[in-house]
Every structure is written in structure tokens, then in C-alpha cells.
Amino acid sequence: MFLKKVYKKKIVITGKSGLLGSTFYRKYSHKYKIISYPYRLENTKKMNKWFKRKDFNYFIHFAAITNCKNKDAVKNLKKINIDASINLLKILAKSRIKNFNFFLFISSSHVYGHSTVKIKESKKTLPVNYYGISKKLVEDFIIENRARFNFRIGIARIFNFTGKNQKKGHFIPDIFSKIKKLNTIKGINQYRDFIHIDDICKSIELIIKNKTEKPINISSGKKINLIKIAKIINVKKLNKKIHFDKQKGRDLFGDNRRLKLLGMWNFKNINQIIDSYIK
């Protein structure tokens, strides 16, 4: 008796060199055949040729520029985050890949404005920085043109997270650096929503398996003050005397009921989240 060979579903990802893309690849390459898109996203000629030779089921678009601190960075952010993402969708639609049926756009909580209550996906998107604007513009393109595509498209809005080797420009690497250097830290008396990078990967798999088209918050659904996070990091690694300025900032934390409806119920706690960076 011959056993039927089990074929793995194929996923193409962009951004495999980034923290999210590399973590997803490491965690799920045993379960899926994951193919890393090998070229620069702005090279549409190579993109057209590459897709003509490929067959896959899902596409996860992780790649993005997050740094927008100067004019050149903002220009690159427009070129990669907005223009290349929209061109990617257009080329995928034109390529008509036989078994391809779901595209997941990795967006961000930065598309929302600040809020003192849990943010639902139905909240109007009002980004307050260039990165958030770049994600919103691609989301707008997806929502306005959904009917033109021959595949389904999902939007995952990821809240704060960390992980081993996360680069500066994110809260936990930045605050860890500040605690080393400073005795007084200002401007962090505000609430955020932190989710473990493993829980993000689980959530992404649930979204692609269910081919969910509604925007989904990938968040813990809990708020935590950034001062508390800084204190936990300090106790774990440095044990310095630090004064925290108590002037209140603006909050941002998510409602994750849509994610729970997909089956994502258990979330790692803040100590596990911090340990994923500092261990």
C-alpha cells in the first residue's frame, strides 16, 4: 500500500531579512514551503518575470521601511512602502497565478490615531506619522480596488512587539539603550499594547488559513504603561535608580475580538515579551 504524498502549501514572503519575516520563516518553514521573494521590490521588470515562473498559494508582504527621520528616508518610504506595494498587487493580478488565492498585507497600528479606549478595526484611520500614512495609503488602495483582483486580500494591523536582535527605532531596544545611559527618562507615561512575536506569527497563520479579508488588529487586547515596561527591563538587566517624568502622553491599544474569533485566545505575557529581546 502506498501512502499518498502530502504536498505543502506554498507561501511567498517579502522581507525575510526583517525580524517579522525571518521569525515567521523559521517557525513555519517545516509546515509550509516558504519562498523568499529575491529581488528589490521597486524592480518591476524582474518582478514580472519572476511571477511568470512561480506557482504558490499565499503571499505575505512583510517588507517595509519603518525609519522616516529624514527627507531621504521619507522618499524611500514612499518608493518602497507605497509605490512598490501597489505595483506588487497590480503585477500579481496581471500574472494570474493558478493556485494563488490570498494576499496578506502587513500593516500597523500606526494607521490609527491615539485613543484613550480600545481601538476597533472600524475606527477611522488617522495616522500621525509618515510610516502610518504609508500603510494607510496602501490599505486605502486595497479597500477601494478589492473587486478588481482575482484573489482575496487581508490586512493585518500589528501593534507593538519585540524580539531578539530587534533594531533601534522600536520602543524596547530604544528604552533599553536609554536606561543604560540616563538617570531620568521623560515622555513615556502612556499606554501601549504589546504582543509577543510568536503570537503575531500564529495570528498571521490563522489569517491566511481563513483567508480573512476584513482588517484585523494583531494585538494582545491589553494596555500597559510604558513606564512599567521600562521598570521591568531595569530590574531584569541593570537595576539602576531611575526617575520617570510623569507628564501624561497619548495612548494606543487595540481591541482584538476579531482575532479571537479566528481562534487566537492565548497570549504570552509582558515578561515573556521583554525576555524575547533581552535574553
Side-chain angles (χ1 to χ4, degrees):
M1 181 178 177
F2 294 98
L3 291 175
K4 187 177 179 181
K5 187 174 180 180
V6 177
Y7 289 93
K8 293 180 179 179
K9 294 271 189 180
K10 296 177 185 176
I11 304 174
V12 174
I13 65 170
T14 62
K16 182 177 174 280
S17 61
L19 182 58
L20 271 177
S22 61
T23 304
F24 185 86
Y25 183 90
R26 188 177 70 251
K27 288 194 158 295
Y28 286 97
S29 56
H30 69 286
K31 189 172 181 179
Y32 300 93
K33 181 174 175 56
I34 302 180
I35 305 157
S36 175
Y37 179 72
Y39 302 117
R40 293 186 64 85
L41 287 171
E42 63 268 39
N43 192 327
T44 55
K45 190 178 285 186
K46 284 189 174 180
M47 189 179 285
N48 270 300
K49 285 182 180 178
W50 194 80
F51 285 134
K52 284 177 183 175
R53 303 193 303 269
K54 293 296 174 186
D55 176 34
F56 51 87
N57 306 100
Y58 310 119
F59 195 111
I60 306 174
H61 185 31
F62 288 105
I65 290 174
T66 57
N67 176 15
C68 49
K69 292 182 178 178
N70 56 56
K71 285 183 179 179
D72 287 339
V74 171
K75 186 189 285 187
N76 284 331
L77 185 139
K78 180 184 181 300
K79 183 168 65 174
I80 301 300
N81 290 18
I82 304 169
D83 298 341
S85 296
I86 289 172
N87 284 333
L88 169 61
L89 281 162
K90 289 178 178 177
I91 290 168
L92 275 169
K94 189 173 68 174
S95 300
R96 295 197 170 271
I97 296 155
K98 185 179 178 183
N99 295 308
F100 171 52
N101 51 45
F102 189 71
F103 179 99
L104 182 61
F105 175 61
I106 302 299
S107 189
S108 167
S109 62
H110 285 279
V111 299
Y112 299 118
H114 297 99
S115 176
T116 55
V117 297
K118 281 186 179 183
I119 293 174
K120 294 181 180 180
E121 291 89 348
S122 56
K123 177 178 166 57
K124 187 176 180 181
T125 50
L126 293 166
V128 295
N129 58 38
Y130 286 118
Y131 175 65
I133 291 168
S134 73
K135 291 293 186 181
K136 172 184 159 45
L137 288 173
V138 180
E139 284 194 16
D140 289 347
F141 173 82
I142 290 167
I143 292 163
E144 289 165 13
N145 295 279
R146 210 183 275 282
R148 293 171 52 191
F149 295 102
N150 58 328
F151 48 87
R152 298 173 79 173
I153 307 175
I155 296 168
R157 294 171 179 162
I158 296 177
F159 282 67
N160 292 73
F161 71 96
T162 193
K164 188 178 179 182
N165 299 322
Q166 188 176 41
K167 294 177 182 177
K168 287 186 177 180
H170 297 269
F171 179 75
I172 288 181
D174 289 353
I175 201 65
F176 188 65
S177 178
K178 283 182 181 180
I179 291 169
K180 283 181 179 178
K181 297 174 185 176
L182 304 173
N183 294 317
T184 298
I185 295 176
K186 299 179 180 180
I188 65 167
N189 184 19
Q190 51 197 277
Y191 287 92
R192 289 292 183 272
D193 187 322
F194 273 81
I195 182 166
H196 197 283
I197 194 164
D198 290 353
D199 293 337
I200 293 174
C201 292
K202 286 179 190 174
S203 301
I204 287 171
E205 193 203 13
L206 283 170
I207 292 169
I208 63 170
K209 283 171 73 175
N210 286 278
K211 302 183 183 69
T212 307
E213 291 190 281
K214 284 184 178 180
I216 291 191
N217 290 337
I218 298 187
S219 70
S220 69
K222 295 178 181 178
K223 65 178 183 178
I224 184 166
N225 196 292
L226 297 182
I227 290 176
K228 182 175 180 180
I229 292 176
K231 286 180 176 178
I232 293 170
I233 292 170
N234 185 38
V235 168
K236 283 178 178 286
K237 293 300 286 186
L238 301 165
N239 232 6
K240 287 174 61 179
K241 283 189 176 180
I242 298 175
H243 171 73
F244 294 97
D245 170 49
K246 295 296 176 71
Q247 184 173 343
K248 188 72 178 70
R250 294 185 292 177
D251 306 328
L252 178 64
F253 47 98
D255 183 305
N256 67 356
R257 277 177 284 186
R258 279 190 188 173
L259 186 59
K260 286 181 175 178
L261 286 172
L262 289 181
M264 188 68 195
W265 278 93
N266 297 314
F267 298 87
K268 294 184 179 180
N269 62 41
I270 192 61
N271 281 285
Q272 291 170 304
I273 292 167
I274 292 168
D275 286 345
S276 68
Y277 174 74
I278 64 176
K279 276 189 174 178

